[in-house]
Amino acid sequence: MGGGSGSSNSKYTKIVTVGDLYSTYDLSGSHPDQVSSWRSEWGNYTVDQILNLAKEDGWPENINTLSKRDGKRERFTQYNTYYVADVGTDKVLLWLPKNDNQNVDSDLRLPYDIYMVYRRSAVNLGQKMKPGGASSNTKPLTSGGTQSNQGRATKITDPGQLYSTYNLESDESGVANWLRNTYGNAAAAEILKRAVESGWPSAISTFSSRSNYREGFRDYVAYHIADIGSDKVLLWIPMNKNGHMPAACRGEHDIYMVYGRSGLSMGDKVKATVNVKQATSSGSGTGNGGDDGRTKPITGVLGGGSGSNTNTNAGKTVATGNFVTQFETIIKGYPGNFDNIKGKETSEPNATFKDWESKIHLAGSYNNFLTDGFVNDHVEFTSIFDRYSTKQAALAKLTSLVADIMKTRAGVVLEKLPIEEKDKSSIYYIVPKTPVAKGFEFLVIEAGMYLETSGKWRVQIMVYSEEEDF
């Protein structure tokens, strides 16, 4: 079936011949002059985003390989795309905003905006749009980093571009002095100490030990805090934003990493919150798969249980009560940013991201807290349950929790997606069923089990918004 010819008055460009996708096309190598002109017109940040997200290795896991696209490719015609640029004479660059594609089949949904290169004859061209500025429901891309206290995370796309022993003090860009001038001597010393492998958790502190975890670095929530020349950046990896990572990749302290810029999908430039009290401590991780001191063990429960009826397990206070009633209270609070369950603020003074105790403690859990969303303004809820010696026991607990979650009647009908099975995790994503009730459009419930270095499986529930995911 043939594609379209010239541009029309249609808002969207529609894919017609799905097989004419260039999934690994090298825009920089094939069209350096065009890419250079885009940088002049759109700015380096936007173009860096496009270059990282216009090939399959930058796409979400549901479509990022040829085999994963099998059985889905013919339905790419469902995507709403924007025509943003010509690529040579016979190809076009398309922008696929997440927010414009909420109604596609669930296995095609996009957790973030992506780009695709298609043969021009394979699409019906709509109006030409500047990337990032077309949809009123999509946050525009900016043309450079911002020095705000909170911004979009930077995504590690190529873990191999890590500089694990880079000497920031001797770098001719003067980044070490910039850190001292910006953060003060003590905080800069903390950053410099933890920006090399000797300052990281012990399980990732050598090249050989990182071999089991390196690919998983893609899952770090990281922030761009400094440029190192034109080809490298310094990333801040706050531990209170990485509770989903294996315990081996976490520790008692925030860490920092030097990465090649081309191995990243750049987010906003932010200022790190540095706890100088960390500077006297060791750089190795705790290795216990714990909660890194984010919240204290609970002393009671709200929403379906009284504060006096608790059990203890391995020294932890375990909440009791009616799980379904408690969880419904949490979900009802989602449209209001969980203000109904926010307890005492537990974050450091002037912290970039805030943390709170939760007034709701789900039955069977021992650690419940709220934290600022790292990609948008919506607060996230996390509840941590027990750790299990066998995968079977953890899966039984997870299955039971998901069954209870699906009983929720809180103004939104939920849909359970197929379990995502990986070597070190099993995750259910539960989302609103179409049509979505007002206020719940971007709700995601993530119920998962994660293998820790101790050999035990941690069971955890998170409730968050995907509205501006990276």
Side-chain angles (χ1 to χ4, degrees):
M1 187 174 180
S5 52
S7 179
S8 73
N9 290 324
S10 172
K11 176 181 177 180
Y12 294 119
T13 287
K14 298 301 290 186
I15 299 167
V16 179
T17 308
V18 295
D20 284 348
L21 166 67
Y22 293 82
S23 59
T24 58
Y25 197 74
D26 183 2
L27 288 166
S28 293
S30 301
H31 302 280
D33 292 341
Q34 265 190 300
V35 171
S36 178
S37 70
W38 295 346
R39 290 188 184 279
S40 298
E41 183 178 357
W42 302 330
N44 287 331
Y45 171 73
T46 298
V47 176
D48 285 343
Q49 287 281 74
I50 290 171
L51 296 179
N52 283 322
L53 299 173
K55 297 189 292 185
E56 64 177 17
D57 57 5
W59 297 343
E61 289 193 0
N62 54 329
I63 58 169
N64 66 356
T65 67
L66 185 67
S67 60
K68 289 178 182 177
R69 291 190 293 275
D70 288 343
K72 302 173 185 175
R73 190 179 298 104
E74 65 274 15
R75 289 178 284 133
F76 279 20
T77 55
Q78 296 180 21
Y79 282 130
N80 290 320
T81 84
Y82 292 110
Y83 162 44
V84 297
D86 298 308
V87 179
T89 59
D90 62 342
K91 302 176 188 70
V92 292
L93 177 65
L94 304 180
W95 170 36
L96 287 71
K98 168 194 165 181
N99 289 351
D100 290 54
N101 287 284
Q102 296 295 306
N103 294 323
V104 299
D105 292 345
S106 60
D107 60 346
L108 295 179
R109 288 178 191 163
L110 304 173
Y112 49 84
D113 295 5
I114 64 171
Y115 296 83
M116 289 182 173
V117 177
Y118 258 93
R119 185 179 295 277
R120 175 183 286 269
S121 61
V123 301
N124 283 334
L125 290 175
Q127 298 173 7
K128 198 169 187 179
M129 297 285 188
K130 182 178 179 180
S135 171
S136 60
N137 293 319
T138 301
K139 186 176 180 180
L141 292 172
T142 58
S143 59
T146 60
Q147 194 61 36
S148 62
N149 281 338
Q150 183 171 346
R152 287 168 292 177
T154 287
K155 183 74 172 174
I156 297 171
T157 57
D158 182 359
Q161 293 205 35
L162 169 66
Y163 291 80
S164 59
T165 58
Y166 196 79
N167 190 337
L168 291 170
E169 287 282 11
S170 64
D171 187 87
E172 61 184 15
S173 70
V175 65
N177 285 332
W178 179 86
L179 289 170
R180 281 186 277 269
N181 291 334
T182 302
Y183 292 94
N185 290 337
E190 171 71 5
I191 293 172
L192 294 170
K193 174 182 179 180
R194 303 198 186 282
V196 291
E197 62 180 17
S198 60
W200 300 340
S202 57
I204 58 170
S205 62
T206 66
F207 180 81
S208 59
S209 66
R210 283 191 297 277
S211 62
N212 292 326
Y213 301 100
R214 189 175 293 107
E215 285 303 307
F217 283 15
R218 299 175 192 270
D219 297 328
Y220 267 133
V221 177
Y223 296 90
H224 169 208
I225 64 168
D227 298 300
I228 306 169
S230 61
D231 62 340
K232 301 179 189 70
V233 298
L234 180 61
L235 299 180
W236 167 40
I237 302 175
M239 290 299 102
N240 70 346
K241 294 295 172 184
N242 284 282
H244 61 285
M245 294 294 288
C249 298
R250 297 182 288 117
E252 296 178 6
H253 316 294
D254 294 356
I255 61 174
Y256 302 81
M257 290 183 173
V258 176
Y259 257 91
R261 182 180 290 269
S262 60
L264 304 169
S265 176
M266 299 300 298
D268 294 330
K269 193 174 183 181
V270 308
K271 186 173 182 179
T273 301
V274 185
N275 185 353
V276 179
K277 289 184 293 185
Q278 296 176 355
T280 58
S281 302
S282 166
S284 62
T286 61
N288 63 3
D291 307 311
D292 297 331
R294 291 188 59 186
T295 58
K296 297 178 181 179
I298 64 169
T299 56
V301 294
L302 275 178
S306 68
S308 59
N309 185 16
T310 59
N311 299 321
T312 57
N313 186 358
K316 303 180 181 71
T317 306
V318 180
T320 61
N322 186 313
F323 178 96
V324 175
T325 301
Q326 294 166 343
F327 198 76
E328 286 181 348
T329 303
I330 292 167
I331 297 303
K332 287 176 182 176
Y334 171 86
N337 218 12
F338 299 126
D339 285 346
N340 65 323
I341 63 170
K342 277 184 185 175
K344 178 183 176 183
E345 184 178 339
T346 57
S347 44
E348 293 289 325
N350 302 316
T352 298
F353 302 99
K354 293 183 178 180
D355 298 294
W356 299 267
E357 294 177 354
S358 173
K359 294 179 182 178
I360 294 284
H361 303 286
L362 290 175
S365 68
Y366 66 86
N367 195 7
N368 297 260
F369 53 87
L370 297 146
T371 186
D372 276 337
F374 57 81
V375 291
N376 54 41
D377 294 329
H378 204 287
V379 170
E380 302 172 357
F381 170 82
T382 300
S383 183
I384 298 176
F385 292 77
D386 203 359
R387 287 162 171 81
Y388 295 84
S389 299
T390 66
K391 184 175 183 179
Q392 291 79 5
L395 184 58
K397 177 63 176 179
L398 177 62
T399 302
S400 173
L401 289 174
V402 170
D404 283 341
I405 289 171
M406 294 306 295
K407 297 175 184 176
T408 298
R409 299 293 180 266
V412 61
V413 179
L414 298 176
E415 174 185 8
K416 179 180 68 175
L417 303 182
I419 192 169
E420 288 192 4
E421 290 275 12
K422 298 182 180 179
D423 289 343
K424 297 179 181 179
S425 67
S426 299
I427 304 171
Y428 282 103
Y429 292 99
I430 300 165
V431 297
K433 193 170 184 178
T434 304
V436 182
K438 182 176 174 61
F440 294 94
E441 289 87 352
F442 302 101
L443 168 69
V444 176
I445 302 164
E446 180 180 323
M449 47 188 277
Y450 310 88
L451 183 62
E452 299 179 341
T453 52
S454 63
K456 293 187 176 182
W457 291 83
R458 180 183 79 252
V459 176
Q460 175 177 301
I461 294 173
M462 295 181 68
V463 184
Y464 56 88
S465 169
E466 267 195 329
E467 184 170 4
E468 291 292 346
D469 213 343
F470 52 85

